[in-house]
């Protein structure tokens, strides 16, 4: 495979412009007000896949948002790479914290991206990273170098739990048959330190509701005499961690995979500067489970976090009131061997059991998924390693990530193939946050590296 560098150099302005067009469509899967835009994005992805050289591109209907499927089969005897990505994005809120509107992409220079970065919701997660694969395919087809078969499966519900994809995968084993799954929807350590993601955390997401009196009450007339749902909820939530920041739900850690001393030592070798980490998010100190380092806390250890909490009066000024109800959304990040359905059940039982008299508690499970780990001696991993060596001149470091792509564990179970996570984002790219961006250098480096993966994977499969 010839270096894609000259082709990228010649076409980079167009590559950037095309991505910008895609980023202008607000494909927010969580908000039904944007349904038309989500569907429009699927059409736009289809068109681009066709242009890039896919032979058969379809919009596959599902009970939810459609899946864009495309393929280019050149020879049944050659290996097949299945590329997965998502065209939906997170809601952009809080809007007032964006320096430029989330769906009006602009290019700005930053400290880590002196070449410029595209600021827009979805620029890194995942439109930008998904589109690297479309442009990598264009390079290989335009220069007659595609070495193997390729299938694309781009979904529109990743940010809301991928339930339609689950349905689609279970119904289409033959259509999706492949030798390796390739995904760019994660990050890398830094521009100087390429890494391959070898693990993802699982997830259990629940919503809780605490109900007290049948109406909001005067907090003077009733205060002190009835359970205040907000007081109760916050106390219940606070009790979910002990003084060492261990989670107190009975049985929560029973199945947690413990890493060996050697594995932990190996992890600690990855470059990491605690001061830079703290400074980058303006905190004076990190915080977390006793006995584990920051990088362990955010990757190989399970967590429980409140993602949102509400109830009572939050308007201007003061209103003296005891709310009838209080609510919270809670996520638990899980590690290998923890079963997300079992953890959801443990949470529900425990949370209901700690409710004091005077309130009723409801736990509503949302979605979830299993954690994922992949070995570093698989064919796919070795091919990815060689691809990075070719384009970065360095061997990438295997790294477990704290994020979740729940569908990856399911791919392995259903399609029986390994997933290789070649992410090109940086933690500082602010995915899910205001001012999300994706470095142009990272975008183009991804387009350069992906064809090398195709090459080495095909060669090593012989
Ligand atoms: N691309 C992210 C996951 C990710 C980002 C993994 C960076 C590793 C590094 C994905 O779009 C995402 O946001 N996943 C959700 C879970 C999903 C079920 C909503 C997450 O991790 O919160
Ligand atoms: Mn993503
Ligand atoms: Mn995401």
């Amino acid at each position: 495979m010839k270096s894609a560098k000259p082709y990228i150099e010649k076409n980079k302005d167009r590559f950037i412009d095309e991505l910008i067009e895609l980023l202008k469509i607000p494909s927010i899967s969580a908000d039904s007000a944007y349904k038309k835009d989500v569907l429009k994005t699927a059409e736009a992805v289809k068109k681009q896949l066709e242009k890039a050289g896919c032979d058969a591109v379809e919009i596959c209907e599902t009970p939810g948002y459609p899946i864009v499927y495309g393929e280019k089969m050149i020879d049944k005897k050659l290996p097949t790479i299945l590329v997965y990505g998502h065209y939906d994005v997170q809601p952009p809120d809080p809007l007032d914290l964006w320096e430029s509107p989330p769906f009006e992409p602009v290019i700005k220079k930053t400290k880590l991206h002196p070449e410029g970065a595209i600021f827009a919701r979805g620029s890194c997660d995942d439109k930008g990273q998904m589109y690297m694969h479309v442009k990598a395919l264009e390079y290989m087809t335009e220069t007659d170098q595609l070495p193997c078969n390729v299938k694309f499966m781009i979904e529109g519900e990743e940010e809301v739990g991928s339930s339609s994809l689950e349905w689609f995968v279970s119904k289409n084993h033959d259509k999706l048959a492949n030798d390796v799954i390739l995904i760019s929807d994660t990050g890398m350590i830094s521009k100087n330190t390429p890494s391959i993601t070898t693990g993802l955390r699982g997830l259990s997401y629940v919503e809780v509701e605490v109900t007290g009196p049948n109406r909001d009450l005067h907090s003077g007339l009733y205060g002190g005499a009835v359970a205040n749902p907000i007081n109760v909820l916050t106390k219940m939530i606070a009790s979910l961690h002990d003084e060492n920041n261990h989670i107190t739900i009975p049985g929560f850690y029973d199945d947690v995979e413990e890493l060996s001393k050697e594995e932990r030592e190996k992890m600690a070798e990855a470059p990491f500067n605690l001061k830079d980490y703290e400074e980058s998010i303006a905190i004076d100190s990190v915080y977390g489970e006793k006995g584990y380092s920051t990088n362990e806390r955010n990757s190989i250890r399970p967590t429980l976090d409140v993602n949102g909490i509400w109830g009572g009066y939050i308007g201007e000024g003061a209103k003296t009131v005891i709310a009838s109800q209080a609510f919270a959304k809670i996520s638990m990040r899980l590690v290998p061997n923890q079963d997300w359905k079992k953890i959801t059940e443990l949470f529900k039982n425990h949370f209901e059991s700690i409710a004091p008299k005077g309130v009723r508690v409801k736990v509503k499970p949302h979605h979830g998924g299993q954690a994922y780990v992949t070995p570093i001696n698989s064919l796919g991993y070795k091919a990815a390693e060689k691809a990075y060596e070719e384009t970065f001149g360095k061997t990438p470091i295997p790294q477990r990530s704290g994020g979740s792509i729940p569908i990856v564990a399911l791919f392995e179970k259903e399609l029986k193939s390994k997933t290789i996570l070649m992410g090109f984002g940086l933690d500082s790219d602010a995915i899910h946050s205001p001012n999300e961006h994706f470095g142009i250098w990272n975008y183009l480096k991804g387009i350069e590296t992906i064809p090398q993966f195709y090459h080495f994977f095909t060669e090593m499969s012989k």
Side-chain angles (χ1 to χ4, degrees), residues 19-36:
L19 175 55
I20 284 178
E21 284 311 305
L22 206 57
L23 290 168
K24 284 182 185 167
I25 321 173
S27 50
I28 308 165
S29 51
D31 188 342
S32 56
Y34 292 88
K35 186 170 176 188
K36 274 206 180 115

Side-chain angles (χ1 to χ4, degrees), residues 162-225:
S162 300
S163 54
S164 298
L165 185 70
E166 224 174 299
W167 172 90
F168 183 77
V169 170
S170 71
K171 279 191 159 13
N172 289 287
H173 283 193
D174 291 341
K175 187 186 185 94
L176 301 173
N178 66 81
D179 296 284
V180 71
I181 298 170
L182 185 60
I183 304 180
S184 296
D185 193 22
T186 53
M188 59 187 210
I189 293 178
S190 74
K191 285 158 80 174
N192 295 322
T193 316
S195 56
I196 300 173
T197 302
T198 52
L200 293 163
R201 283 195 285 195
L203 182 72
S204 163
Y205 202 105
V206 298
E207 192 167 321
V208 299
E209 178 187 300
V210 175
T211 308
N214 62 357
R215 59 187 163 88
D216 289 4
L217 303 174
H218 189 289
S219 67
L221 292 183
Y222 288 91

Side-chain angles (χ1 to χ4, degrees), residues 237-248 303-305:
I237 288 172
S239 78
L240 296 175
H241 290 95
D242 69 11
E243 67 282 7
N244 293 321
N245 283 316
H246 291 304
I247 294 157
T248 57
T303 64
L304 184 152
D305 277 295

Side-chain angles (χ1 to χ4, degrees), residues 162-441:
S162 300
S163 54
S164 298
L165 185 70
E166 224 174 299
W167 172 90
F168 183 77
V169 170
S170 71
K171 279 191 159 13
N172 289 287
H173 283 193
D174 291 341
K175 187 186 185 94
L176 301 173
N178 66 81
D179 296 284
V180 71
I181 298 170
L182 185 60
I183 304 180
S184 296
D185 193 22
T186 53
M188 59 187 210
I189 293 178
S190 74
K191 285 158 80 174
N192 295 322
T193 316
S195 56
I196 300 173
T197 302
T198 52
L200 293 163
R201 283 195 285 195
L203 182 72
S204 163
Y205 202 105
V206 298
E207 192 167 321
V208 299
E209 178 187 300
V210 175
T211 308
N214 62 357
R215 59 187 163 88
D216 289 4
L217 303 174
H218 189 289
S219 67
L221 292 183
Y222 288 91
V226 296
N228 175 328
I230 301 176
N231 292 10
V232 168
L233 175 63
T234 51
K235 200 165 164 182
M236 287 169 73
I237 288 172
S239 78
L240 296 175
H241 290 95
D242 69 11
E243 67 282 7
N244 293 321
N245 283 316
H246 291 304
I247 294 157
T248 57
I249 299 168
F252 186 85
Y253 292 99
D254 280 3
D255 303 323
V256 165
E257 170 210 51
E258 295 289 345
L259 267 68
S260 66
K261 196 165 156 268
E262 289 72 32
E263 281 174 291
R264 291 178 67 183
E265 278 167 7
K266 191 101 198 90
M267 264 189 79
E269 284 171 20
F272 176 72
N273 184 304
L274 188 59
K275 237 183 129 36
D276 288 350
Y277 183 86
E278 290 167 343
E279 260 171 33
S280 73
I281 47 174
I283 53 171
D284 58 8
S285 168
V286 291
Y287 180 91
E289 188 184 2
K290 195 174 172 191
Y292 295 91
S293 70
T294 294
N295 271 337
E296 291 173 338
R297 287 169 180 167
N298 68 23
S299 65
I300 59 163
R301 296 298 295 166
T303 64
L304 184 152
D305 277 295
V306 178
N307 294 247
I309 184 163
W310 68 103
Y313 183 69
I314 53 164
E316 197 184 330
K319 181 186 180 196
T320 47
V321 72
I322 293 174
S324 160
Q325 289 191 300
F327 307 84
K329 291 183 194 278
I330 296 176
S331 68
M332 288 162 278
R333 296 282 169 174
L334 309 176
V335 297
N337 295 339
Q338 283 184 297
D339 180 75
W340 77 270
K341 289 189 173 146
K342 181 177 162 192
I343 292 292
T344 307
E345 201 53 35
L346 287 178
F347 177 92
K348 185 172 159 60
N349 292 339
H350 177 67
F351 206 70
E352 286 171 354
S353 80
I354 59 172
K357 278 205 180 116
V359 297
R360 279 163 288 137
V361 168
K362 253 197 216 155
V363 175
K364 291 187 256 173
H366 271 259
H367 54 269
Q370 295 299 108
Y372 183 72
V373 260
T374 191
I376 59 170
N377 57 8
S378 72
L379 198 68
Y381 188 89
K382 292 220 143 50
E385 200 170 55
K386 280 204 167 310
Y388 282 89
E389 281 169 358
E390 192 73 24
T391 58
F392 284 78
K394 276 183 187 165
T395 303
I397 296 177
Q399 191 202 27
R400 289 226 209 167
S401 170
S404 308
I405 311 176
I407 207 71
V408 172
L410 203 95
F411 286 157
E412 181 150 324
K413 200 167 136 220
E414 296 261 338
L415 303 175
K416 312 272 180 270
S417 43
K418 293 259 169 280
T419 291
I420 302 302
L421 298 157
M422 291 175 66
F424 292 90
L426 302 181
D427 282 355
S428 53
D429 288 347
I431 63 170
H432 294 207
S433 303
N435 306 308
E436 174 178 354
H437 54 280
F438 189 35
I440 287 170
W441 183 90

